[in-house]
Amino acid sequence: RAKDLGKHNFQFYTREMNASVEEKLVLLEGLRKALEATLDADAPAHAGRFHLVYQPKVDLRTGRMFGVEALIRWRHPEHGLVPPPRFIGLAEESGLIVAIGEWVVRSACRQAQAWRAAGLEGLTVSVNVSARQFEEKRLVERVANALRESGLPPSALELEVTESLLMRDLNQAVERMRELKAMGVSLSIDDFGTGYSSLSALKSFPISTLKIDKSFVRDLADSTDDQAIALAVISLGHRLNLRVIAEGVETEQQRDFLLAHECDEMQGYLFSAPVDAERIGEMLAQQARRDRMRLAG
Ligand code: C2E
Ligand code: MG
Ligand code: MG
Ligand code: MG
């Protein structure tokens, strides 16, 4: 049992919801230290830090990478990589997510601008925003600062939010989204179909993209139910003038189905898992070389 392993062998892999109070406190302390170390360049490496990985977003028709999604990673000094679902909830509950999220937005903007400065233009970067972060008064200001500081054009930044987040306070959410949109930042709805937004609410969201949740993509080749859901999301999105992206695309069959049914974009292990910034840079450079060869005939 986790408890018998003692404090220093905290069971990171129990589901967070079942974690005991003591486990939560240990996890929380770890999160605080990691945040501190992440924000302090001089902190010792053994403190454990956050870093970002990036997953390509690909145009289904052309196969080109047009953007990336930033995903946080936490390397714990004793426990190794802790997956986000194990700590994002607690970061939310404790409010730490606000500072962590600010670091994510700033780092992602800085990285995206570095790619652009290296001549890899047109790339967009998407950042996940959780409920507590989205509801925070200073969100818009923080995003504006990250853009200004990095020099990234607002049109190159997208924020991914979930339906459940938006439904917590519908009016406030719509207002917040309008402010972000007015700044030039795009918005997309992540994990679409797993939350509870009403269709009338959807109509009032100033978003540009719907993201089909990976739970509907997983069995797309065999499940006629999942096919029906994917088709419904694609046609709903298109009728509302939105782009539709599928996440968790792992197989050719899934890709072929989505392509045949006019889904616009995809993300998933089939093209690439989330990778470090350097690898994205290589992939972009390779793509640019292929473009030049094609142009040269
Ligand atoms: P999400 O935003 O829906 O991200 C998609 C998740 O699916 C990522 O998990 C990604 O690594 C994983 N994935 C990508 N391609 C495939 C595939 O082909 N098959 C499968 N089975 N999975 C795939 P990850 O990185 O563990 O993140 C999980 C969730 O944690 C994210 O879901 C997001 O809600 C949250 N998260 C991650 N980074 C951040 C962050 O910086 N801030 C906030 N607030 N939340 C974050
Ligand atoms: Mg996402
Ligand atoms: Mg998602
Ligand atoms: Mg998800």
Side-chain angles (χ1 to χ4, degrees):
R1 282 194 344 224
K3 184 161 106 187
D4 301 329
L5 296 172
K7 198 164 152 187
H8 296 291
N9 286 306
F10 171 75
Q11 248 291 12
F12 272 78
Y13 298 96
T14 55
R15 276 200 134 298
E16 195 199 296
M17 281 179 293
N18 302 328
S20 70
V21 172
E22 191 192 331
E23 284 173 338
K24 275 193 174 183
L25 286 174
V26 174
L27 183 60
L28 192 55
E29 189 48 32
L31 276 175
R32 282 213 182 87
K33 285 200 177 125
L35 176 62
E36 217 174 283
T38 304
L39 297 176
D40 176 5
D42 301 326
H46 61 74
R49 292 170 197 268
F50 300 118
H51 66 279
L52 295 181
V53 289
Y54 299 87
Q55 186 176 39
K57 295 192 175 194
V58 179
D59 182 300
L60 265 165
R61 263 162 294 277
T62 64
R64 287 181 60 81
M65 174 186 351
F66 64 88
V68 293
E69 174 177 5
L71 294 157
I72 195 168
R73 294 292 178 265
W74 176 20
R75 200 183 307 283
H76 188 279
E78 291 150 50
H79 307 279
L81 269 185
V82 187
R86 304 277 181 250
F87 68 86
I88 292 289
L90 189 59
E92 252 314 296
E93 246 177 74
S94 62
L96 275 182
I97 195 68
V98 174
I100 296 174
E102 179 176 19
W103 172 80
V104 173
V105 175
R106 293 176 66 193
S107 310
C109 288
R110 201 182 315 123
Q111 182 58 63
Q113 183 57 16
W115 284 318
R116 295 167 71 93
L120 307 164
E121 265 164 56
L123 192 83
T124 62
V125 67
S126 307
V127 171
N128 295 286
V129 174
S130 63
R132 185 86 172 249
Q133 240 182 311
F134 195 77
E135 285 161 5
E136 213 246 340
K137 272 205 298 293
R138 291 185 52 213
L139 173 80
V140 178
E141 187 187 328
R142 286 173 201 270
V143 170
N145 286 342
L147 289 167
R148 187 167 354 95
E149 208 178 79
S150 62
L152 187 73
S155 61
L157 177 65
E158 176 181 73
L159 301 181
E160 298 191 0
V161 296
T162 60
E163 293 164 271
S164 347
L165 171 169
L166 297 172
M167 297 309 285
R168 279 167 48 140
D169 181 344
L170 191 55
N171 293 330
Q172 190 200 283
V174 171
E175 180 54 32
R176 186 66 37 99
M177 293 174 104
R178 288 200 180 124
E179 289 175 276
L180 289 162
K181 193 188 174 185
M183 229 162 75
V185 171
S186 316
L187 291 153
S188 77
I189 299 198
D190 205 349
D191 306 340
F192 187 71
T194 63
Y196 300 97
S197 68
S198 69
L199 295 177
S200 64
L202 188 60
K203 192 177 72 171
S204 64
F205 297 150
I207 52 172
S208 50
T209 307
L210 285 185
K211 197 163 193 179
I212 305 177
D213 189 65
K214 59 178 180 294
S215 61
F216 305 122
V217 173
R218 192 180 50 230
D219 301 319
L220 205 49
D222 311 306
S223 159
T224 51
D225 289 347
D226 288 337
Q227 291 174 359
I229 292 168
L231 293 180
V233 176
I234 294 168
S235 79
L236 175 66
H238 287 170
R239 298 253 168 155
L240 293 172
N241 272 320
L242 306 173
R243 278 176 305 146
V244 180
I245 183 166
E247 67 173 16
V249 178
E250 297 183 359
T251 69
E252 306 271 349
Q253 292 97 303
Q254 293 164 345
R255 196 231 357 241
D256 292 347
F257 181 91
L258 292 162
L259 185 58
H261 294 92
E262 289 175 347
C263 186
D264 304 290
E265 301 159 0
M266 70 166 186
Q267 218 180 331
Y269 299 160
L270 178 64
F271 187 85
S272 171
V275 292
D276 63 25
E278 196 184 333
R279 181 76 193 108
I280 294 288
E282 289 165 9
M283 292 166 86
L284 287 167
Q286 197 172 45
Q287 182 164 282
R289 274 197 300 277
R290 274 198 304 269
D291 288 349
R292 280 196 298 275
M293 277 166 59
R294 204 171 299 132
L295 278 175

